[in-house]
Amino acid sequence: MLPFKFQLFKFDGICQTVAVTLCPLIGKFDGIEPICYSRNVEIAGILVFQPATLMMDIIALCMTGVMIYHVKTKYTAVGRKEIAMFFQLYFATVFLEMLLVSNIIPTASILYPFFTAAHLGLLSASFWCLLLNGFVGFQFAEDGTPISLWSIRISSFLVLLTVGFIAMATFSNLGPFSYTAPMALWIIYFIVNGAMFLIYTISQIILVTNTLDDRWPLGDIAFGMLFFMSGLVIMHVFSVALCEEMKHYLDGLFFGSMCNLLAVMMVYKYWDSITKEDLEFSIDSKYQDWEIQAFLNGKQNEKVNHRVYDM
């Protein structure tokens, strides 16, 4: 087993532990390979890397689609459109990660650096969107209004472009950026993204304790933090040990993807628990269908009664 080696401002130790998407593009000309990674499988003549992680990403896409659907059906819930943006960004991030880690987009392809830069940009944009969603409950801007929605959209897009440009510049050795010393990417990947997650968590704890009588949402926050931190530790520290124990069938990337999905599900569970619909103005299509059906049945019964009386 390779001891965990954490290097400040370098991905070398991380990439030797787990095969994250940027590892083939940094450290040295041909990238950095992990010591142990899961088995590859051949499907229809295509060599697929990380098959277990691929299946987990497909599950994550399906679950995220379900969460987006349920968010959109809560028509009068606070921050409905804003939180839907976060889940949509997470969906796009997982989709790109699935293409990159599974070799659907090969590392030798000229498109691989561009998709990796987009993936890193989407990852940071997702954290940024989550951070801004943390302030929706404080009503700095009324939710659902153009200023609230477009401020999140434009700023998230700018974060995506900025991080994507830094990533491409790092991969291409452009200007002060270098793939042998990717300090800017390391700061964004660990410090900036981590800070946004931490600020969001603290803001939600303050929101719950100061504005809500119910304390159960704190449990959702705690479980979300537990899953997220567990995913980071398993993926970046114990991946080699797990890979060797699992005989190369699974590695830390699978468990990291699973824990990230559980953390995002806790974000949905938390949001759902603190938002209540205004039942006077909410729209329930199923209830309306039953109401219309009952109305039609009543009309039918009236016609039958009239015929009986006429006879």
Side-chain angles (χ1 to χ4, degrees):
M1 182 184 71
L2 178 72
F4 172 65
K5 184 171 62 174
F6 183 82
Q7 295 172 296
L8 197 64
F9 305 133
K10 286 187 177 182
F11 287 95
D12 296 40
I14 297 297
C15 289
Q16 289 174 350
T17 305
V18 63
V20 294
T21 57
L22 55 78
C23 289
L25 301 170
I26 59 172
K28 51 186 180 179
F29 179 74
D30 55 350
I32 305 172
E33 290 188 0
I35 300 300
C36 183
Y37 48 86
S38 66
R39 300 170 186 263
N40 307 325
V41 297
E42 187 174 351
I43 302 176
I46 300 175
L47 189 63
V48 177
F49 295 174
Q50 300 284 346
T53 305
L54 173 63
M55 295 303 300
M56 179 54 61
D57 286 340
I58 292 174
I59 293 172
L61 292 176
C62 294
M63 293 301 300
T64 307
V66 171
M67 288 186 283
I68 292 173
Y69 170 77
H70 283 291
V71 167
K72 289 184 176 294
T73 57
K74 294 189 70 171
Y75 296 96
T76 59
V78 175
R80 175 178 68 94
K81 295 180 179 179
E82 287 83 355
I83 197 66
M85 293 182 201
F86 164 70
F87 291 119
Q88 289 162 355
L89 283 171
Y90 172 72
F91 185 96
T93 304
V94 172
F95 181 73
L96 275 187
E97 180 183 353
M98 180 183 68
L99 298 180
L100 293 168
V101 302
S102 63
N103 198 45
I104 295 175
I105 300 177
T107 56
S109 171
I110 59 173
L111 297 176
Y112 189 88
F114 294 96
F115 278 93
T116 302
H119 172 252
L120 295 174
L122 281 169
L123 182 63
S124 294
S126 299
F127 279 107
W128 174 255
C129 185
L130 182 65
L131 171 63
L132 295 184
N133 268 275
F135 295 105
V136 170
F138 294 97
Q139 293 292 303
F140 290 114
E142 187 175 353
D143 65 285
T145 58
I147 188 172
S148 175
L149 297 175
W150 282 102
S151 62
I152 295 178
R153 289 169 182 164
I154 294 174
S155 61
S156 297
F157 183 67
L158 291 176
V159 170
L160 189 157
L161 287 181
T162 302
V163 176
F165 171 78
I166 293 174
M168 278 303 302
T170 302
F171 303 151
S172 305
N173 272 349
L174 182 64
F177 302 101
S178 171
Y179 61 75
T180 58
M183 182 176 68
L185 269 186
W186 192 95
I187 292 173
I188 293 170
Y189 193 86
F190 288 106
I191 298 178
V192 176
N193 291 348
M196 288 189 284
F197 172 76
L198 184 61
I199 294 171
Y200 168 79
T201 303
I202 294 173
S203 69
Q204 297 317 287
I205 293 174
I206 295 173
L207 179 67
V208 172
T209 54
N210 289 345
T211 62
L212 299 180
D213 295 330
D214 189 7
R215 293 293 183 263
W216 283 108
L218 292 175
D220 300 327
I221 297 174
F223 275 110
M225 287 190 64
L226 176 64
F227 287 133
F228 181 73
M229 298 303 296
S230 298
L232 289 178
V233 172
I234 292 172
M235 189 167 66
H236 295 128
V237 179
F238 297 108
S239 181
V240 174
L242 287 170
C243 179
E244 293 175 348
E245 289 295 325
M246 298 287 183
K247 308 300 182 184
H248 293 255
Y249 285 104
L250 298 174
D251 62 6
L253 202 59
F254 168 82
F255 294 100
S257 298
M258 180 179 65
C259 289
N260 286 340
L261 172 60
L262 292 173
V264 170
M265 291 174 68
M266 285 296 104
V267 171
Y268 168 77
K269 180 67 172 62
Y270 164 73
W271 176 84
D272 186 61
S273 66
I274 66 171
T275 54
K276 303 295 181 183
E277 284 197 281
D278 189 342
L279 298 178
E280 182 180 356
F281 299 101
S282 64
I283 302 174
D284 192 335
S285 58
K286 292 183 179 180
Y287 175 77
Q288 285 187 338
D289 291 341
W290 281 106
E291 191 176 39
I292 292 171
Q293 186 65 39
F295 175 77
L296 294 176
N297 291 338
K299 286 292 185 181
Q300 187 69 27
N301 291 335
E302 288 181 7
K303 290 181 180 180
V304 172
N305 291 336
H306 281 306
R307 290 176 181 174
V308 171
Y309 290 139
D310 290 342
M311 294 174 61

PDB file of all heavy atoms in Angstrom, residues 46 48-49 146 217 251 263 275:
ATOM      1  N   ILE A  46     -15.154  -1.415 -27.337  1.00  0.00           N
ATOM      2  CA  ILE A  46     -14.658  -0.174 -26.725  1.00  0.00           C
ATOM      3  C   ILE A  46     -14.127  -0.489 -25.337  1.00  0.00           C
ATOM      4  O   ILE A  46     -14.818  -1.125 -24.534  1.00  0.00           O
ATOM      5  CB  ILE A  46     -15.772   0.894 -26.634  1.00  0.00           C
ATOM      6  CG1 ILE A  46     -16.301   1.224 -28.032  1.00  0.00           C
ATOM      7  CG2 ILE A  46     -15.265   2.148 -25.947  1.00  0.00           C
ATOM      8  CD1 ILE A  46     -17.481   2.162 -28.022  1.00  0.00           C
ATOM      9  N   VAL A  48     -13.557   0.295 -21.762  1.00  0.00           N
ATOM     10  CA  VAL A  48     -14.196   1.188 -20.795  1.00  0.00           C
ATOM     11  C   VAL A  48     -13.417   1.155 -19.492  1.00  0.00           C
ATOM     12  O   VAL A  48     -13.229   0.092 -18.891  1.00  0.00           O
ATOM     13  CB  VAL A  48     -15.665   0.780 -20.551  1.00  0.00           C
ATOM     14  CG1 VAL A  48     -16.294   1.666 -19.483  1.00  0.00           C
ATOM     15  CG2 VAL A  48     -16.453   0.854 -21.847  1.00  0.00           C
ATOM     16  N   PHE A  49     -12.946   2.331 -19.047  1.00  0.00           N
ATOM     17  CA  PHE A  49     -12.270   2.454 -17.760  1.00  0.00           C
ATOM     18  C   PHE A  49     -13.316   2.664 -16.661  1.00  0.00           C
ATOM     19  O   PHE A  49     -14.421   3.139 -16.912  1.00  0.00           O
ATOM     20  CB  PHE A  49     -11.314   3.647 -17.768  1.00  0.00           C
ATOM     21  CG  PHE A  49     -10.155   3.510 -18.723  1.00  0.00           C
ATOM     22  CD1 PHE A  49      -9.277   4.573 -18.925  1.00  0.00           C
ATOM     23  CD2 PHE A  49      -9.928   2.350 -19.429  1.00  0.00           C
ATOM     24  CE1 PHE A  49      -8.211   4.461 -19.799  1.00  0.00           C
ATOM     25  CE2 PHE A  49      -8.869   2.217 -20.309  1.00  0.00           C
ATOM     26  CZ  PHE A  49      -8.011   3.288 -20.491  1.00  0.00           C
ATOM     27  N   PRO A 146     -35.911  38.315 -11.575  1.00  0.00           N
ATOM     28  CA  PRO A 146     -34.798  38.349 -12.538  1.00  0.00           C
ATOM     29  C   PRO A 146     -33.452  38.663 -11.913  1.00  0.00           C
ATOM     30  O   PRO A 146     -32.438  38.073 -12.292  1.00  0.00           O
ATOM     31  CB  PRO A 146     -35.230  39.450 -13.519  1.00  0.00           C
ATOM     32  CG  PRO A 146     -36.723  39.424 -13.464  1.00  0.00           C
ATOM     33  CD  PRO A 146     -37.066  39.110 -12.038  1.00  0.00           C
ATOM     34  N   PRO A 217     -33.651  20.025  10.286  1.00  0.00           N
ATOM     35  CA  PRO A 217     -32.783  20.298   9.123  1.00  0.00           C
ATOM     36  C   PRO A 217     -31.291  20.293   9.445  1.00  0.00           C
ATOM     37  O   PRO A 217     -30.468  20.053   8.551  1.00  0.00           O
ATOM     38  CB  PRO A 217     -33.245  21.686   8.655  1.00  0.00           C
ATOM     39  CG  PRO A 217     -34.677  21.753   9.063  1.00  0.00           C
ATOM     40  CD  PRO A 217     -34.735  21.029  10.379  1.00  0.00           C
ATOM     41  N   ASP A 251     -12.252   1.157  -6.726  1.00  0.00           N
ATOM     42  CA  ASP A 251     -11.233   2.005  -6.113  1.00  0.00           C
ATOM     43  C   ASP A 251     -11.913   3.217  -5.477  1.00  0.00           C
ATOM     44  O   ASP A 251     -13.147   3.294  -5.409  1.00  0.00           O
ATOM     45  CB  ASP A 251     -10.157   2.414  -7.124  1.00  0.00           C
ATOM     46  CG  ASP A 251     -10.710   3.235  -8.280  1.00  0.00           C
ATOM     47  OD1 ASP A 251     -11.908   3.590  -8.253  1.00  0.00           O
ATOM     48  OD2 ASP A 251      -9.940   3.545  -9.209  1.00  0.00           O
ATOM     49  N   ALA A 263     -24.245  13.284  -0.650  1.00  0.00           N
ATOM     50  CA  ALA A 263     -24.171  14.652  -0.142  1.00  0.00           C
ATOM     51  C   ALA A 263     -25.142  15.562  -0.890  1.00  0.00           C
ATOM     52  O   ALA A 263     -25.832  16.391  -0.284  1.00  0.00           O
ATOM     53  CB  ALA A 263     -22.742  15.180  -0.259  1.00  0.00           C
ATOM     54  N   THR A 275     -38.464  24.326   3.122  1.00  0.00           N
ATOM     55  CA  THR A 275     -39.368  25.062   2.239  1.00  0.00           C
ATOM     56  C   THR A 275     -40.753  24.447   2.319  1.00  0.00           C
ATOM     57  O   THR A 275     -40.923  23.234   2.227  1.00  0.00           O
ATOM     58  CB  THR A 275     -38.887  25.023   0.774  1.00  0.00           C
ATOM     59  OG1 THR A 275     -38.705  23.668   0.371  1.00  0.00           O
ATOM     60  CG2 THR A 275     -37.580  25.761   0.636  1.00  0.00           C
TER      61      THR A 275
END
